[in-house]
Amino acid sequence: MKKILCIFGTRPEAIKMVPVIKQLKSEKEKFEVKVCVTAQHRNLLDEVLDIFQVTPDYDLNIMTENQSLFQITTSVLKHLEPILKKEKPDMVLVHGDTTTTFAAALASYYLKIPVGHVEAGLRSYDKFNPYPEEINRRLTDAISDIYFCPTLTAKKAILKENINPKNIFITGNTVIDALYMILKKKHKFQNPILRKLFYSHLPSPISHLILVTAHRRENFGKPIENICNAIKKISREFPDCKIVYPVHPNPNVKIPVHKILGKLKNVYLVPPLNYSDFANLIKISYLILTDSGGLQEEAPSLGKPVLVMRCVTERPEAVVSGTVKLVGTDEKIIFKEVKKLLTDKSEYNKIAKSTNPYGDGFAAIRTVDFIKYYFGLSDKRPGEFYVGTKKIQ
Ligand code: UD1
Ligand code: UDP
């Protein structure tokens, strides 16, 4: 019996860790599973815990309004020390690249507890893009003991860093597991604005639904204003489009977004949506405009084109396969690229393809199978996830 402590703190970590937690918990005779949330996010995190019915054993409740990176790192370290000392887990599992991820890995290292990194190996090789995630993930990988890479590209990045190949394993991305779990259920929109938009008779039909999200720290200030101005122009030039924008609660995002877009008739600014509403919104969208990491992985499985408002991405697979295009944060370029997809059907069809380089819905099973193998609870190294690529070991 091995004790695994899963530590996470934000919405995307929660969405992507839930499938692993559920899979670990299904193996009752092999694992004792504990869940600790830092609550770096509060309401965004709670929505995910609620919808997937996960109850944490520990809740550090660290979030403060407009928190700094210093505050997050120091609070996580301080609050985790007694928990790690009390629980003495055989392994801590962290996910991705948030400051919770890095600080939890660091705390575990200080106590010489093995760390498993889910979604290891993503790299943009630009330390300020995305900021601070690129450094968070590199530092987490430097500390980790086993690596669950979503793709072959991620595995190759870890191999370049001289990590023992024995401890690196390609699983696919667990976000696809979570997406399939949610989309399997019958759905009716819960958000009142979406209910009105989709279930009542509208004076003008929706010709195209555009889904927008933006929240990255490196886009605060001028870039977020440019993004909003581009959306304003799209809304005016294409009045039949409906633009739905769930706005991140960070004041650096919320204030400029409401100021620039608050009064436009066909722009629907809604609070962050629960994962069920959001996943179903992706499903009915025509295109997605975002700076999010997770959406670049989810949208391709539903065949939706994604225009990514960043200069670089650590998720090159969907760019290569053609469903994701990097457009940066220049107002004119964003407008031009959206216009192209709205007006040129052949251009749209070229990138709206249902190929998914990120997963097949079995990433959590592979992750847990590899943990069993690592601890000697099973003899055979399990099979890795590959998409149209050759095995490299
Ligand atoms: C964080 C992560 C980022 C991840 C993103 C996912 C860091 C430094 N950043 O960015 O990597 O991509 O989450 O969304 O780890 N807030 C609320 N309620 C919430 C959540 C946030 O009000 O439930 C507000 C608070 O004022 C908070 C602020 O947003 O201080 C910023 O939250 P923070 O976690 O620091 O940054 P994010 O931009 O959310
Ligand atoms: N998401 C959600 N509700 C929203 C916006 C996003 O459930 O209103 C989901 C989305 O499907 C994805 C994840 O949250 O799985 C992405 O989170 P976020 O954009 O906060 O972080 P990132 O992916 O950039 O790390």
Side-chain angles (χ1 to χ4, degrees), residues 11-12 15 175 213 215-216 246 272-275 278 292-294 298:
R11 170 175 63 193
I15 293 171
V175 78
T213 76
H215 69 82
R216 302 234 75 85
L273 299 171
N274 71 38
Y275 192 49
F278 193 79
S292 154
E298 291 163 324

Side-chain angles (χ1 to χ4, degrees), residues 63-67 215 220-221 224 247-258:
M63 195 193 89
T64 54
E65 176 77 8
N66 207 3
Q67 61 207 359
H215 69 82
F220 293 171
I224 192 88
V247 185
H248 193 288
N250 192 326
N252 297 291
V253 175
K254 205 167 146 179
I255 296 167
V257 168
H258 279 271

Side-chain angles (χ1 to χ4, degrees), residues 156-175:
K156 284 180 176 168
I158 301 278
L159 283 171
K160 270 207 281 190
E161 290 163 20
N162 292 326
I163 302 291
N164 186 345
K166 256 179 45 195
N167 298 332
I168 314 170
F169 189 70
I170 310 173
T171 56
N173 199 305
T174 56
V175 78

Side-chain angles (χ1 to χ4, degrees), residues 5 44 104 118-119 168 185 254 261 264 271 274 315 321 352 363:
L5 176 63
L44 299 192
V118 182
E119 202 184 77
I168 314 170
K185 296 187 185 154
K254 205 167 146 179
L261 301 173
L264 301 173
N274 71 38
R315 293 167 168 90
S321 84

Side-chain angles (χ1 to χ4, degrees), residues 225-257:
E225 285 172 24
N226 291 346
I227 289 170
C228 291
N229 286 325
I231 295 168
K232 191 169 171 181
K233 196 160 157 59
I234 297 159
S235 81
R236 290 197 169 141
E237 303 248 340
F238 300 95
D240 284 346
C241 277
K242 305 282 178 218
I243 303 172
V244 177
Y245 184 168
V247 185
H248 193 288
N250 192 326
N252 297 291
V253 175
K254 205 167 146 179
I255 296 167
V257 168

Side-chain angles (χ1 to χ4, degrees), residues 40-44 64 66-67 99 133 216-217 248:
Q40 173 181 335
H41 280 175
R42 187 69 274 174
N43 45 322
L44 299 192
T64 54
N66 207 3
Q67 61 207 359
T99 297
E133 291 79 8
R216 302 234 75 85
R217 267 181 162 76
H248 193 288

Side-chain angles (χ1 to χ4, degrees), residues 132-267:
E133 291 79 8
E134 175 67 7
I135 290 300
N136 282 344
R137 59 173 86 106
R138 285 200 228 167
L139 295 174
T140 304
D141 281 331
I143 289 169
S144 294
D145 296 273
I146 57 171
Y147 301 82
F148 306 98
C149 297
T151 63
L152 178 62
T153 313
K155 178 172 179 171
K156 284 180 176 168
I158 301 278
L159 283 171
K160 270 207 281 190
E161 290 163 20
N162 292 326
I163 302 291
N164 186 345
K166 256 179 45 195
N167 298 332
I168 314 170
F169 189 70
I170 310 173
T171 56
N173 199 305
T174 56
V175 78
I176 308 302
D177 303 24
L179 185 69
Y180 290 171
M181 264 183 211
I182 275 296
L183 290 178
K184 239 180 13 206
K185 296 187 185 154
K186 213 166 160 281
H187 178 262
K188 201 160 167 78
F189 284 105
Q190 283 164 25
N191 175 279
I193 299 171
L194 299 185
R195 284 179 89 101
K196 206 163 152 210
L197 183 59
F198 298 121
Y199 303 136
S200 59
H201 182 72
L202 290 160
S204 63
I206 301 174
S207 66
H208 292 306
L209 179 69
I210 301 178
L211 175 57
V212 182
T213 76
H215 69 82
R216 302 234 75 85
R217 267 181 162 76
E218 66 273 16
N219 282 344
F220 293 171
K222 189 74 184 134
I224 192 88
E225 285 172 24
N226 291 346
I227 289 170
C228 291
N229 286 325
I231 295 168
K232 191 169 171 181
K233 196 160 157 59
I234 297 159
S235 81
R236 290 197 169 141
E237 303 248 340
F238 300 95
D240 284 346
C241 277
K242 305 282 178 218
I243 303 172
V244 177
Y245 184 168
V247 185
H248 193 288
N250 192 326
N252 297 291
V253 175
K254 205 167 146 179
I255 296 167
V257 168
H258 279 271
K259 196 166 141 214
I260 302 172
L261 301 173
K263 292 201 173 76
L264 301 173
K265 254 177 81 183
N266 52 342
V267 177

